[in-house]
Amino acid sequence: MFESIFLSYLFVGVVSLCLYKQKIISFYFGLIANAIISAFGAIWFVLNLNEPKSIDLAGFLFEPNLLLTPLGAFFSFIVCFISSMSAIYSLGYLKNYEINFAIKSSLLSFFTLSMLLVINSNDVFGFVVFWELMTLISALMVKFNDTPSSNYSVMLYLGVAQIGAFCIIVALLVLANLSGSLYFSDWSFSKQTNIIICILILIGFGSKAGIVPFHVWSPLIYPLANSNISAIFSSAMSKVAIFALIKFMLVLNFPAYFALAMMIIGAFGAVWAISLACLQNEYKKIIAYSSAENMGIILLALGAWAYGNAIGNTLISTLGLVGAVLHSLNHSVFKAILFFVAGNIFVASKKLKINSIGGLAKFMPITAICALIAICSIIAVPFFNGFVSEWVIYKALLNKLDFVSAKFVFAFGVIGLSIAGVLCAMGFMKFYGLIFSGTPKSNYKEAPLISLIPMIILSICCVVLALFSPNLIKQICGFLEYSLPNNMISFSLLWFALVGALILPFAIIALFGANLNKARLTKPWANGYKFQDDFLPNSNSVVGDLKRLLAKFVLIKFKNKKSYVICVKDAFMEILYTPVINLCLRVANKFAILQNGKFVFYVIYMVVYLGILAIGIFYFLGNEP
């Protein structure tokens, strides 16, 4: 059955391509088949969570070995579950686009297959090949939406991805040489991992996950892609990178000082990314930057896990790893809802700017409710799944420590996580308040029922995952072979206290009475001026104080003849990436003169190349007997 799931994705992808000219048939066949296979795969991976399975794929140019581990089954479930929800959502969403559905549905099948192959790869060569295949397919899925900015965005994404892939290849080859085996299942390292390997592993997988400072591609790629694809990128592909990071951290021994560095990067990255999210004027960019924030939170938890392992504190290490794995699942659920919501907003309004839309809740009540549930989850409101995983991470950070440096870093992590939570609430208050409330700026239409079904399912999951979190944490501890005291995973007293806090204001009102007189309705007062829509809160005014606070770091303000314009730019992009991109463009322009279109020059190039190659071979090998 393990291999049957992979073959099913391959079959659907190939058949969808064969139906290239049958748009309607390819549309329904590809998406419905994807939804069914992914739903079946999600159920199968859950049922076989603790049953390792291994297969060899013979008949290829190489023979990759696939090994299903409990951790791999958990993340394979996330990939299949999100892929199933995205396929169902696409049945209603993609009808609004003039595209070739055969290509879209086939790429969806191949992309899901590539992610599953990466997760279950057990050898270096197979892992690298499938990792690169996943990157290539994801770039094609974005480039399919050909816009004036797509070339730049896709090339930036591929550039960052290839830097990460280079780091991964070097690290894995060195580790394979040290272990004497190309198979991950044979790896076991008792000595402390070299700092260079740690850096390579973090850069390699952090670049794909979108962790700051490797996040610069995500605010460009996520808005460029269709919302059903953005959901898979943020909810599934980033989790493949997180899985790979956890997979190799399980067999390596990260030094304590590097673990603390990971925590600092994670906490800082979470605050940085969500600060930029608050300043955005496009709703998809808010969601994109919040993905980088949540990757920072997961990295913070993984750093706590690595530090706990380094000093032998099993409680910190267990809480850190469980928090990271649980938040990976929770983030996948509520982030998929938010991207689906963004898709519905764009289809209804045809606008990306927050200030151009408003009052959608009146016309799109189900989308508004699902958005509110997802926002409650992402800002960690109690009784929603985001609260539970962040609570576990807080528990990992609030343990007693002996070293002053560790105390400082853990305190920095708590402060960073707290600030990120406050800024997240601010950013998504702006998101929901300006888009769904207020006066409607046009007539909007609710999304079709088939697109609402996966959003409703995921919204229910946000609540169910919170209410049944103790059992879920026990399951995670079980397949990770960790254990926690019962009082650490019991939320009964916490839920009771939170319910009491929720009832308390209403009890006070009932006890002391309230003014229940009907409110008087009058025209808006505008301080002596005739009221205009421009006086209403907008995306800039809601976070005006935050903009002034961060102006020296992320804002460039300039004034033109017609209006005062505020341009938000990421300092990491401007300082680290833009100079490198400009240098590459200048070098490429110099080499462009070689492409003159004359056949004789290309023949000369080939002759010169072969001559240099022959001289090199003779120089290095010619003297050998």
Side-chain angles (χ1 to χ4, degrees):
M1 188 58 67
F2 186 35
E3 57 271 26
S4 298
I5 296 174
F6 299 149
L7 292 174
S8 298
Y9 281 115
L10 181 62
F11 173 77
V12 171
V14 172
V15 172
S16 297
L17 285 177
C18 294
L19 297 173
Y20 183 83
K21 295 184 178 181
Q22 305 295 327
K23 293 184 178 181
I24 302 300
I25 297 176
S26 63
F27 174 74
Y28 285 105
F29 169 79
L31 294 179
I32 292 175
N34 266 294
I36 294 173
I37 296 170
S38 297
F40 176 80
I43 295 172
W44 188 86
F45 283 118
V46 168
L47 295 178
N48 292 271
L49 199 61
N50 295 308
E51 297 182 13
K53 299 180 184 297
S54 178
I55 59 173
D56 290 307
L57 298 179
F60 291 85
L61 295 176
F62 60 103
E63 295 187 358
N65 175 256
L66 301 180
L67 177 64
L68 179 66
T69 62
L71 182 66
F74 182 82
F75 279 88
S76 295
F77 159 76
I78 294 177
V79 170
C80 288
F81 180 57
I82 297 301
S83 181
S84 176
M85 295 296 101
S86 179
I88 297 173
Y89 174 79
S90 301
L91 288 169
Y93 170 74
L94 289 181
K95 286 184 177 180
N96 300 282
Y97 293 87
E98 293 293 331
I99 59 176
N100 191 292
F101 300 115
I103 300 295
K104 278 287 185 182
S105 58
S106 63
L107 286 177
L108 178 60
S109 295
F110 293 144
F111 186 51
T112 307
L113 175 60
S114 66
M115 289 189 288
L116 292 176
L117 289 172
V118 169
I119 291 175
N120 295 283
S121 291
N122 189 40
D123 64 288
V124 172
F125 192 68
F127 182 89
V128 171
V129 169
F130 295 137
W131 181 270
E132 290 292 85
L133 184 64
M134 178 181 69
T135 300
L136 177 61
I137 296 174
S138 61
L140 290 174
M141 295 175 81
V142 177
K143 191 63 186 76
F144 201 80
N145 295 337
D146 197 9
T147 65
S149 64
S150 63
N151 285 336
Y152 178 85
S153 300
V154 172
M155 291 307 296
L156 176 63
Y157 166 65
L158 287 175
V160 175
Q162 289 312 302
I163 293 173
F166 172 78
C167 294
I168 291 171
I169 293 172
V170 173
L172 295 187
L173 290 177
V174 171
L175 292 173
N177 181 63
L178 292 175
S179 66
S181 174
L182 290 172
Y183 293 94
F184 302 142
S185 56
D186 296 334
W187 289 8
S188 179
F189 302 95
S190 57
K191 295 182 180 180
Q192 193 176 81
T193 306
N194 186 282
I195 184 64
I196 302 299
I197 298 297
C198 296
I199 294 173
L200 292 174
I201 290 290
L202 182 59
I203 294 175
F205 298 117
S207 60
K208 182 68 71 178
I211 296 170
V212 175
F214 316 111
H215 67 293
V216 293
W217 59 268
S218 57
L220 299 177
I221 292 296
Y222 289 162
L224 178 62
N226 293 127
S227 290
N228 60 325
I229 302 303
S230 301
I232 298 180
F233 280 12
S234 180
S235 297
M237 185 177 71
S238 65
K239 303 310 175 300
V240 174
I242 294 297
F243 160 79
L245 184 58
I246 296 174
K247 177 187 180 76
F248 293 107
M249 287 179 68
L250 282 169
V251 297
L252 301 176
N253 293 302
F254 278 25
Y257 62 89
F258 188 79
L260 295 177
M262 288 176 61
M263 295 180 64
I264 294 173
I265 295 171
F268 170 79
V271 175
W272 181 268
I274 200 60
S275 298
L276 289 173
C278 292
L279 303 179
Q280 300 304 310
N281 293 320
E282 295 183 14
Y283 50 86
K284 286 195 77 172
K285 285 191 175 182
I286 294 177
I287 305 173
Y289 274 113
S290 73
S291 292
E293 178 234 354
N294 281 275
M295 294 302 103
I297 293 174
I298 294 174
L299 183 64
L300 174 63
L302 292 177
W305 166 45
Y307 183 77
N309 284 338
I311 65 172
N313 190 319
T314 56
L315 183 58
I316 293 178
S317 61
T318 302
L319 288 171
L321 180 56
V322 171
V325 173
L326 183 59
H327 198 69
S328 297
L329 172 62
N330 291 337
H331 175 258
S332 296
V333 173
F334 58 67
K335 189 50 62 73
I337 301 174
L338 289 172
F339 274 114
F340 292 162
V341 167
N344 291 352
I345 294 171
F346 182 77
V347 169
S349 64
K350 298 295 186 285
K351 300 180 185 299
L352 290 172
K353 299 287 186 180
I354 293 177
N355 294 335
S356 303
I357 50 183
L360 267 69
K362 179 179 179 181
F363 302 92
M364 307 171 68
I366 299 178
T367 298
I369 293 172
C370 292
L372 184 60
I373 292 174
I375 289 171
C376 289
S377 298
I378 198 171
I379 65 176
V381 172
F383 303 106
F384 295 92
N385 60 343
F387 171 81
V388 176
S389 50
E390 290 197 23
W391 180 262
V392 175
I393 296 173
Y394 271 116
K395 280 181 171 289
L397 300 176
L398 293 172
N399 277 272
K400 293 182 179 180
L401 298 166
D402 297 328
F403 300 102
V404 175
S405 59
K407 290 180 180 180
F408 174 80
V409 173
F410 273 67
F412 180 80
V414 172
I415 295 171
L417 190 55
S418 303
I419 294 175
V422 173
L423 293 176
C424 187
M426 176 186 287
F428 281 98
M429 177 190 70
K430 178 178 92 169
F431 176 92
Y432 190 88
L434 296 180
I435 293 177
F436 290 100
S437 63
T439 304
K441 297 182 180 180
S442 182
N443 291 323
Y444 307 104
K445 185 179 179 181
E446 180 64 280
L449 179 61
I450 191 65
S451 292
L452 296 175
I453 290 175
M455 297 171 60
I456 295 171
I457 294 173
L458 291 168
S459 299
I460 295 173
C461 289
C462 287
V463 179
V464 171
L465 289 174
L467 296 180
F468 293 93
S469 54
N471 293 330
L472 180 59
I473 292 173
K474 288 181 180 179
Q475 290 293 326
I476 293 174
C477 289
F479 70 72
L480 292 175
E481 298 182 353
Y482 280 76
S483 61
L484 282 172
N486 290 329
N487 61 338
M488 281 286 178
I489 58 177
S490 176
F491 289 87
S492 302
L493 183 60
L494 177 62
W495 292 145
F496 180 78
L498 293 173
V499 170
L502 182 65
I503 296 174
L504 183 61
F506 299 99
I508 294 174
I509 292 175
L511 182 62
F512 295 100
N515 183 8
L516 300 178
N517 296 328
K518 187 177 181 180
R520 293 182 294 111
L521 297 177
T522 61
K523 293 182 178 180
W525 182 67
N527 201 25
Y529 295 93
K530 183 179 180 181
F531 183 81
Q532 302 176 29
D533 288 341
D534 294 340
F535 297 160
L536 291 170
N538 57 55
S539 179
N540 291 322
S541 64
V542 169
V543 291
D545 292 333
L546 182 62
K547 280 188 173 181
R548 284 186 286 273
L549 179 64
L550 299 176
K552 295 182 180 180
F553 304 100
V554 296
L555 293 181
I556 299 176
K557 299 184 177 181
F558 60 93
K559 192 174 183 180
N560 57 25
K561 295 181 179 180
K562 294 183 179 180
S563 63
Y564 185 69
V565 180
I566 299 177
C567 181
V568 179
K569 293 189 177 182
D570 191 334
F572 284 104
M573 183 66 187
E574 296 300 310
I575 297 173
L576 294 180
Y577 293 91
T578 300
V580 176
I581 293 172
N582 292 335
L583 176 62
C584 292
L585 289 175
R586 287 197 296 269
V587 173
N589 289 332
K590 297 297 182 181
F591 279 96
I593 60 175
L594 298 176
Q595 302 295 329
N596 50 31
K598 296 181 179 180
F599 178 75
V600 65
F601 282 93
Y602 295 129
V603 173
I604 293 174
Y605 298 156
M606 294 175 63
V607 172
V608 172
Y609 168 74
L610 292 174
I612 295 174
L613 183 63
I615 293 172
I617 293 174
F618 177 79
Y619 179 79
F620 287 105
L621 302 178
N623 295 327
E624 293 186 4

